[in-house]
Amino acid sequence: MAALSKLKHKVIQTPNLGLTATYGTARAVQIPLYQDAASISGNGAKWSGVIESVVINYTTATGITSILSFLSRDAAGDAGLTQSLTTNVVTGTTTATSGCIRVNYDLTLALNQIDLWLFLRTNAATCIVTSVEVTWRE
């Protein structure tokens, strides 16, 4: 794989996605990873870089204390890239039913595609994911 620079990228998806305590294809967020084609020429991959972190903002939470997540190469969740990670929620200071989580990955990848899928679920009860922010570098 070619040497990676420090060129930063960020994609923000706004899925308005209702989460429950189970994984499922209806609770996955497609993440398009666009970048400068010159940075990956010659290595045979369509995307090459390091996934740094994912910030998930939520609202309307009832009874959750954590959100579980994993990254997959496919929309079915059958080609997982990471293990399921549990992250405690950080509730808002003025609205206890809103907040966010941040998941740090530092995951180096060279993929033959430009899309990943982030699968999400709660530890219990429900919430609505209002945005997903993925940061990566080339």
Side-chain angles (χ1 to χ4, degrees), residues 64-81:
I64 70 169
T65 57
S66 61
I67 294 176
L68 292 78
S69 63
F70 73 91
L71 290 170
S72 179
R73 291 185 310 255
D74 70 335
D78 295 331
L81 293 167

Side-chain angles (χ1 to χ4, degrees), residues 5-56:
S5 72
K6 296 293 182 178
L7 186 58
K8 297 273 189 171
H9 298 274
K10 182 185 214 176
V11 64
I12 301 173
Q13 298 290 74
T14 54
N16 202 31
L17 182 68
L19 295 188
T20 65
T22 59
Y23 283 121
T25 56
R27 289 174 293 285
V29 179
Q30 186 174 4
I31 308 294
L33 300 170
Y34 302 109
Q35 70 185 102
D36 177 10
S39 69
I40 59 172
S41 61
N43 70 8
K46 290 185 179 179
W47 187 87
S48 178
V50 178
I51 303 292
E52 291 184 340
S53 66
V54 176
V55 174
I56 299 161

